[in-house]
Amino acid sequence: MSSRRGSSTVLLPSGQTLTTFTKHSQDEEGLPHATKKTMADHLRKYEALFNLTPQRMRMVVEAFKESLELGLSKPNQVVPMIPTYVFGWPSSKEKGNYLAVDLGGTNLRVCLVTLEGEGKFQITQAKYRLTEEQKQDEGQKLFDFCGECLKAFVDTHRAEGHIGKDEVLPLGFTFSYPCAQERIDHGVLIRWTKGFGAPNTEGHDVVAMFRESLAKMSVPAEVVALTCDTTGTLIASHYVNPKTRIACIFGTGCNAAYMEHVRDIPKIAQLGIDPDMEMAINCEWGAFDSFEHENLPRTKYDQIIDETSNKPGEQAFEKLISGRYLGEILRLIICELIDEGVLFLGQNTYKLEIPYCFDTAFLSLMEMDPTDELLMIIGIFNHFFAVETTLAERQFFRALAKLVARRAARLSACGIAAIVSKMGYLDEGCSVGADGSLYNKYPNFAERIHEGLHDIFGEKGKNIVTYHAEDGSGIGSAIVAAMTKDRKTANIYPNL
């Protein structure tokens, strides 16, 4: 087969480079490929499946609001609406050295944060990669690993003089998984998310487990606050932008937090907290519609992902919008078309048959491809999956990526809209601090959220503005630790 090629180098998110090639028409001779018309016909089918009308979005918002209210009223609901015992907003007068530890979906992150007051701070940090084996290993071993990493970090900074020889630092522990909290330094894991499955952890107090590991490693740190990255993001973002009322994470997982009046949290009425006080609520909204499956526009691909996941029947909302799953949705569509004899006839497609092999970063690269012949997409399919593509197929793949990602963004807008509507923020407007790989790196994700808010609320939707949030799991966690330390020193609800 004769061929003439032009080449281009592509930098992937991992830092790898790959060489992509433009293929001229004679390269495609002898290979059966789907035609442009065939691809257009199939695209119309997927558009019908993945497009969300404003009317459908408003229906989702109303159902979402009901779930939020139910979670505030009663314990053990689908959307748990977890009281965080973070009382009110930071004063910007918080000062001192604090440790922050974030057990995230991909990395363990350890930070030393120096709060200087007036919204100023300094931060140094280290990251430690989590293996898939560690995510499934015995729970206490996972926390022992956290303790080992923290000890190494503290020892290094003590040797450099950043931490005093006998100094025991207050620590904010960011644990971004649903926990039931009875006080701020306590949290019983309700369920693992983001692909974790470490046994003997669900139903246990993760702070107690972490403290056991810290004692075992002789780490000079005192866990004073357990928080999630979303609550930390809410506090850190308000620290620098007082218009912030909501914080969201759109990354490997998804979540939201906001500040609620205690009088509107009936399930904690027995605690006797001043009803006029405000408390941050960790929504854990990834579970929305998990049991009813009546409100979200789930396709058969979403159902396959749910049924084959390590947590079937859980995190229904997350499985439609988070970065962990968008690439898999697209892969399942491609595999369906391979099975139907539409794509890659005569080619070996075994590499595409591996679950989760199609990273969501590929969708991002496909949408960003600036070339007429879509060289980036050639490189992805050739380099990672050893298959050849035509221009018509590449255009189809990019259109599919846009459909999947746009649905995720518009559903994300529904979650934000539910909180905005519930709290009455629409007329005066508010800022939403947003973080996570999807929000920060996926092209047009933020714009599509804003488009969704406009479709839900009309012109008033422009009053709701999302922006790149401050570091919730580092700075936010440290600020929460400082707020908690100050509150307990002042004897304000010291047992909480």
Side-chain angles (χ1 to χ4, degrees):
M1 183 184 299
S2 64
S3 66
R4 292 182 292 109
R5 294 175 180 247
S7 65
S8 175
T9 300
V10 175
L11 180 65
L12 295 172
S14 63
Q16 291 178 276
T17 58
L18 63 89
T19 301
T20 65
F21 299 96
T22 63
K23 287 170 43 98
H24 293 266
S25 58
Q26 59 264 48
D27 288 52
E28 297 167 4
E29 293 174 4
L31 275 179
H33 282 287
T35 66
K36 190 171 183 177
K37 182 181 182 304
T38 303
M39 292 290 86
D41 290 342
H42 282 283
L43 185 60
R44 280 191 289 274
K45 177 178 76 173
Y46 295 113
E47 285 173 344
L49 282 175
F50 284 91
N51 277 335
L52 271 178
T53 65
Q55 181 182 10
R56 182 64 189 274
M57 293 173 74
R58 286 189 283 269
M59 292 171 63
V60 172
V61 170
E62 287 305 309
F64 220 128
K65 278 173 61 181
E66 291 178 11
S67 288
L68 301 182
E69 295 283 8
L70 190 60
L72 291 170
S73 300
K74 302 176 182 178
N76 305 317
Q77 299 305 302
V78 176
V79 179
M81 302 296 281
I82 298 167
T84 64
Y85 303 95
V86 175
F87 292 98
W89 301 108
S91 66
S92 294
K93 296 178 182 178
E94 293 82 7
K95 293 184 179 180
N97 284 337
Y98 296 86
L99 289 170
V101 173
D102 173 24
L103 183 61
T106 306
N107 299 303
L108 173 73
R109 182 167 169 245
V110 180
C111 307
L112 173 63
V113 181
T114 302
L115 299 177
E116 299 173 336
E118 302 304 320
K120 297 178 182 178
F121 55 83
Q122 295 183 34
I123 182 170
T124 57
Q125 61 181 304
K127 286 185 179 180
Y128 305 87
R129 187 81 174 183
L130 291 164
T131 66
E132 290 303 314
E133 289 75 19
Q134 284 174 314
K135 294 179 185 181
Q136 310 304 325
D137 205 349
E138 188 73 22
Q140 195 61 56
K141 287 185 179 179
L142 177 64
F143 288 108
D144 286 350
F145 172 73
C146 297
E148 290 170 5
C149 294
L150 180 58
K151 180 172 175 55
F153 179 85
V154 169
D155 287 348
T156 297
H157 285 277
R158 180 177 278 167
E160 294 174 353
H162 301 142
I163 299 175
K165 182 180 178 183
D166 298 318
E167 193 174 8
V168 177
L169 293 182
L171 185 150
F173 182 26
T174 303
F175 187 77
S176 302
Y177 307 89
C179 286
Q181 288 187 263
E182 296 176 355
R183 57 186 187 276
I184 198 163
D185 61 348
H186 163 271
V188 174
L189 178 62
I190 297 170
R191 60 180 172 273
W192 282 117
T193 59
K194 304 178 196 174
F196 273 77
N200 297 316
T201 314
E202 292 180 351
H204 295 262
D205 180 0
V206 295
V207 175
M209 294 179 75
F210 190 31
R211 282 175 172 156
E212 181 179 327
S213 296
L214 295 182
K216 191 185 301 183
M217 310 296 169
S218 301
V219 181
E222 176 193 4
V223 183
V224 298
L226 175 73
T227 188
C228 72
D229 55 356
T230 322
T231 304
T233 297
L234 178 69
I235 297 301
S237 296
H238 189 275
Y239 193 65
V240 299
N241 179 0
K243 290 185 178 180
T244 303
R245 291 289 179 270
I246 302 168
C248 298
I249 303 293
F250 302 115
T252 307
C254 68
N255 197 10
Y258 72 103
M259 200 67 70
E260 182 67 84
H261 286 104
V262 169
R263 63 175 173 267
D264 294 322
I265 317 174
K267 67 183 178 182
I268 62 168
Q270 75 282 2
L271 296 179
I273 302 169
D274 180 349
D276 291 328
M277 288 194 77
E278 290 184 298
M279 183 189 292
I281 294 294
N282 167 23
C283 300
E284 291 296 346
W285 71 8
F288 170 61
D289 203 38
S290 286
F291 299 117
E292 307 93 334
H293 296 313
E294 294 174 349
N295 303 297
L296 291 173
R298 295 206 315 163
T299 67
K300 61 181 175 181
Y301 316 106
D302 303 306
Q303 292 173 30
I304 291 169
I305 284 174
D306 182 31
E307 291 164 2
T308 58
S309 71
N310 69 326
K311 295 285 184 178
E314 299 181 17
Q315 299 301 102
F317 188 53
E318 180 177 292
K319 286 169 181 171
L320 269 65
I321 72 172
S322 88
R324 177 172 173 80
Y325 301 104
L326 301 190
E328 180 66 1
I329 294 170
L330 186 60
R331 187 194 72 85
L332 289 170
I333 295 172
I334 290 172
C335 286
E336 178 182 67
L337 293 174
I338 290 171
D339 291 343
E340 291 176 1
V342 176
L343 292 173
F344 306 133
L345 290 174
Q347 299 189 63
N348 193 333
T349 58
Y350 75 97
K351 288 187 176 181
L352 278 163
E353 293 163 11
I354 302 169
Y356 292 91
C357 67
F358 207 93
D359 198 284
T360 297
F362 294 161
L363 277 67
S364 178
L365 290 168
M366 289 159 73
E367 284 213 53
M368 286 191 296
D369 196 330
T371 61
D372 291 339
E373 294 203 45
L374 302 178
L375 307 184
M376 193 89 74
I377 302 176
I378 292 177
I380 290 168
F381 281 90
N382 194 293
H383 182 86
F384 290 100
F385 307 110
V387 292
E388 302 285 345
T389 57
T390 65
L391 180 58
E393 290 166 345
R394 296 192 292 276
Q395 290 170 336
F396 171 72
F397 295 143
R398 181 159 70 170
L400 272 183
K402 182 177 180 179
L403 283 175
V404 171
R406 186 169 181 264
R407 184 188 69 162
R410 288 171 73 78
L411 285 172
S412 300
C414 291
I416 294 171
I419 296 175
V420 167
S421 180
K422 180 197 176 304
M423 298 303 294
Y425 292 150
L426 187 59
D427 288 334
E428 67 181 53
C430 74
S431 295
V432 180
D435 205 356
S437 54
L438 270 182
Y439 185 85
N440 295 334
K441 297 179 181 179
Y442 199 100
N444 301 315
F445 195 83
E447 290 80 0
R448 288 166 181 166
I449 288 177
H450 292 143
E451 174 194 84
L453 289 168
H454 184 270
D455 282 352
I456 293 165
F457 291 127
E459 283 299 306
K460 285 187 177 180
K462 294 179 180 178
N463 294 343
I464 312 303
V465 179
T466 71
Y467 70 97
H468 175 56
E470 293 300 312
D471 171 17
S473 60
I475 299 160
S477 183
I479 295 170
V480 169
M483 290 169 64
T484 303
K485 184 168 170 282
D486 291 347
R487 171 171 65 83
K488 294 197 173 188
T489 299
N491 204 36
I492 300 172
Y493 301 116
N495 296 325
L496 298 177

